[in-house]
Amino acid sequence: MRQKKYTAEERLLFNCLAAFIQRNKVTMTDGEPDWPSFLALANKHRLFPILYNVLKQEPSIPEFVLDILKKDVEFNQRVMLEMTATIAGLLKELEDRGIDALILKGIPLAIDLYGDVSLRTSRDVDLFVAPEHYEQVEALLIQKGFANHAGFSDINPSMKRYIIENKDSHYHTEFHHHSRPLTIEIHWRQQSATYGKTAFAKLWQRRAYCRLGSYAFPTLGAEDQLDYLLLHGAKHMYARLRWLLDIVLHLKKYPSLVQEKAKHPQLQDLLAQAKLICSELWGQALPPSIRVTDRSKSLAKQAIHFVVMDDEVKDILFGTPDYFRYKKYLWDVKWTWRDRLQYVGEHFQPTISDLALVPLPRAWYPLYFLARPVTFVKVRWQQLRG
């Protein structure tokens, strides 16, 4: 399945991941890596804590490389500690209000799989709440100095409730703190209807706790966590290898989950996709019992293109070959024709930006379809002009 000859920087990155997983000494690559390019990869994949952990005892690594990685690691330690303290306080306030909330990925994963919150980076905190509690959580965040720049807080309240209850394509929104580099994403629905939806109440009943000091962070149970990691990684084409590393470490700690996924063909394909990418990039074979299909081979091959792509996925320009490759992948990852037709339909539905432009009540929702062609062309024109 090899698609290209990987650079010395990419091969060293892959070797570092294999060494971290196996707790071995890293195998250095032939040829001198271009160190600025290597550091750029470390940043793109958010893996600098892992790379510093693996490389700090390696005598052949230039001192300036270790210094830069160390500074990034120390900054990440401060960010993660502040994030941990903030989210612990927020969860306590939600609990006092009778609101249950689960943390997705992030801090619990760092505790459970890495054993150290500073070994895993997190851009934000993902909180999952029941749909009926969204407005209360939004109000609390605004009270604490967070703002929603996506426009979701600005739409009409009756329209907002309609979106939360009925639109599968909208399942979360972001809040940014006005003075600190802290982002909180509020999720009220699972990220994909393709693989079935589980009510928040059931996920809460199956929750697990990850303890750090005197505080226990509620998160998804081990099997639900794996489902989420597979869906999230596949949706984003594993453009950050950190997401693939999460899955490898999760299965290493909970190997019995492989057999559980065998009962679900859809998720089995996503698990096989992750297995094939691991095998291709760093020779780390996930359990051989994971069944590989033609579909999982195709998904893995398509995803690897984006894993090793120099640009960020979010920077792909409309109309370019990578744009159409990206859209094809999102089509192929859908499991049924119903899901694919729904995916096409989402392109014609009003966006949150459209709804926030002129906040109308729920009864006026059809009017936004008239404005959608104009806003679509406007956004694409702005993208083409850079």
Side-chain angles (χ1 to χ4, degrees):
M1 198 173 71
R2 186 174 297 277
Q3 301 181 64
K4 69 173 223 175
K5 182 179 179 181
Y6 300 115
T7 65
E9 302 80 51
E10 290 169 339
R11 295 198 309 273
L12 179 57
L13 180 74
F14 303 154
N15 290 351
C16 286
L17 290 176
F20 179 79
I21 294 165
Q22 299 161 5
R23 298 296 189 262
N24 290 336
K25 183 178 173 62
V26 65
T27 301
M28 298 302 294
T29 57
D30 295 333
E32 180 76 5
D34 179 77
W35 293 111
S37 296
F38 177 77
L39 292 170
L41 281 175
N43 184 62
K44 175 190 174 184
H45 293 288
R46 307 295 192 264
L47 288 170
F48 42 84
I50 303 300
L51 300 180
Y52 181 71
N53 182 275
V54 171
L55 295 174
K56 62 184 177 182
Q57 302 300 332
E58 180 57 49
S60 62
I61 306 299
E63 186 175 346
F64 84 92
V65 173
L66 293 177
D67 286 343
I68 292 174
L69 289 175
K70 185 178 180 180
K71 288 178 182 177
D72 289 339
V73 168
E74 290 172 346
F75 177 77
N76 184 61
Q77 287 174 335
R78 293 192 296 271
V79 168
M80 293 300 293
L81 288 174
E82 180 180 6
M83 188 181 291
T84 301
T86 300
I87 201 62
L90 179 62
L91 288 171
K92 180 65 171 63
E93 292 195 48
L94 291 175
E95 183 181 359
D96 291 343
R97 288 167 167 76
I99 299 174
D100 297 326
L102 296 166
I103 306 180
L104 305 175
K105 308 192 309 313
I107 296 167
L109 274 188
I111 298 169
D112 188 38
L113 304 183
Y114 296 77
D116 184 342
V117 292
S118 66
L119 277 179
R120 188 184 187 277
T121 61
S122 289
R123 182 187 70 89
D124 53 25
V125 176
D126 296 83
L127 278 185
F128 189 18
V129 301
E132 60 267 24
H133 289 147
Y134 171 80
E135 285 88 351
Q136 292 170 268
V137 179
E138 178 187 72
L140 178 60
L141 288 177
I142 292 173
Q143 177 187 325
K144 288 186 162 299
F146 288 86
N148 177 248
H149 300 305
F152 195 66
S153 295
D154 300 325
I155 67 177
N156 182 279
S158 64
M159 185 72 75
K160 184 188 301 182
R161 178 46 43 189
Y162 171 71
I163 295 297
I164 290 172
E165 292 178 350
N166 297 284
K167 294 298 180 180
D168 287 340
S169 56
H170 300 298
Y171 59 88
H172 77 295
T173 192
E174 287 188 349
F175 290 83
H176 305 274
H177 197 271
H178 69 88
S179 62
R180 291 184 290 161
L182 180 60
T183 300
I184 296 179
E185 276 192 6
I186 304 300
H187 297 243
W188 57 85
R189 182 182 293 113
Q190 287 174 289
Q191 60 189 321
S192 173
T194 299
Y195 298 93
K197 292 187 286 187
T198 304
F200 175 85
K202 289 187 177 180
L203 295 174
W204 180 255
Q205 289 174 357
R206 302 197 295 251
R207 70 189 179 280
Y209 285 95
C210 292
R211 299 188 177 276
L212 182 65
S214 61
Y215 201 84
F217 294 94
T219 188
L220 296 171
E223 184 173 354
D224 292 324
Q225 188 78 271
L226 177 60
D227 292 351
Y228 183 84
L229 293 175
L230 289 171
L231 290 167
H232 181 268
K235 177 187 175 183
H236 295 287
M237 302 154 294
Y238 295 100
R240 302 211 191 286
L241 285 174
R242 177 187 65 190
W243 300 326
L244 195 61
L245 181 60
D246 289 340
I247 292 172
V248 173
L249 296 178
H250 196 74
L251 288 175
K252 188 176 180 181
K253 183 167 185 177
Y254 305 103
S256 63
L257 292 179
V258 173
Q259 300 305 318
E260 290 298 322
K261 293 305 103 182
K263 303 173 187 176
H264 306 281
Q266 305 98 317
L267 290 168
Q268 173 80 3
D269 270 356
L270 298 189
L271 188 56
Q273 178 196 28
K275 170 184 176 178
L276 291 167
I277 298 173
C278 289
S279 178
E280 162 70 12
L281 297 185
W282 65 77
Q284 173 68 30
L286 289 174
S289 57
I290 298 174
R291 179 179 55 85
V292 173
T293 64
D294 289 340
R295 179 172 181 264
S296 60
K297 290 178 182 177
S298 174
L299 292 177
K301 183 177 181 181
Q302 292 180 69
I304 287 174
H305 171 82
F306 294 97
V307 171
V308 299
M309 185 175 65
D310 292 334
D311 297 327
E312 297 274 4
V313 173
K314 64 180 178 63
D315 295 330
I316 294 176
L317 295 177
F318 173 73
T320 62
D322 278 338
Y323 174 84
F324 293 109
R325 187 180 281 117
Y326 170 61
K327 290 297 183 180
K328 180 182 184 303
Y329 174 86
L330 293 180
W331 169 272
D332 289 346
V333 81
K334 304 297 181 186
W335 180 253
T336 67
W337 278 100
R338 177 179 176 275
D339 296 316
R340 290 175 173 176
L341 291 174
Q342 182 179 341
Y343 167 67
V344 173
E346 289 171 3
H347 291 75
F348 300 94
Q349 291 188 28
T351 66
I352 296 301
S353 297
D354 297 338
L355 301 179
L357 190 62
V358 181
L360 298 175
R362 159 68 185 96
W364 294 81
Y365 182 73
L367 288 181
Y368 287 106
F369 284 91
L370 300 177
R372 179 60 184 149
V374 177
T375 58
F376 178 86
V377 171
K378 177 183 176 182
V379 170
R380 295 297 178 262
W381 175 250
Q382 290 174 340
Q383 288 178 341
L384 288 172
R385 294 185 65 186

